[in-house]
Amino acid sequence: AVEATGCKLVELTGGEPLAQKRAFDLMRILCDRGCTVLVETSGAIDIAAFDPRVIRILDIKTPGSGEAERNLWSNLQHLRAHDEVKFVIVDRADYEWAREVIAHRGLARALETGALRCILMSPAWEQRGGKEIAGVPGLHPRQLAQWILADRLPVRLQVQLHKIIWDPQTRGV
């Protein structure tokens, strides 16, 4: 199906793609067929078995997500120069927590030395009449940008463009 599209860039995301039994086989097969493969994982499953050709996007869950206790911190040691780390920020407390993780888990240093491609911060999607994370109203991207600039954090602001282009509940885009 991927070959039929003619697309050579494939990103596996979810839910949690690593929860699928054959996810690691699929990564290898796609790489063998000449695809650039990215996998966005929740960070709760060990990434050590990834094919080395795969670009890892490790989502570190913040306290506001309700899933921070699921972070498998040993995954940080498996990140490489072309990999990325992502934080979805719910509020100021999440931002400050992420800022501390960046400093104290060596992520800022990994960026400086080229051992990590980038750190992304994404605001939890702000929706009228709905919530991306249960019980969370969302965070405006401008607010997150202001905090990042004030602290001069070495991160990239990322918005979920597909939620701006299509209805936020649309799947498969």
Side-chain angles (χ1 to χ4, degrees), residues 32-46:
D32 287 349
R33 293 189 178 190
C35 293
T36 298
V37 179
L38 300 91
V39 175
E40 189 163 340
T41 175
S42 70
I45 297 175
D46 188 0

Side-chain angles (χ1 to χ4, degrees), residues 66-116:
E67 297 183 19
E69 70 283 348
R70 297 184 64 215
N71 289 321
L72 184 59
W73 293 108
S74 60
N75 276 333
L76 294 176
Q77 71 189 10
H78 301 297
L79 295 173
R80 293 143 320 137
H82 62 271
D83 296 336
E84 304 174 3
V85 170
K86 183 178 106 177
F87 297 89
V88 176
I89 306 296
V90 168
D91 55 20
R92 182 66 191 205
D94 266 6
Y95 171 78
E96 291 175 7
W97 182 89
R99 187 180 60 197
E100 291 301 311
V101 168
I102 290 166
H104 297 296
R105 296 272 180 175
L107 297 176
R109 181 74 181 130
L111 279 177
E112 290 172 11
T113 62
L116 183 64

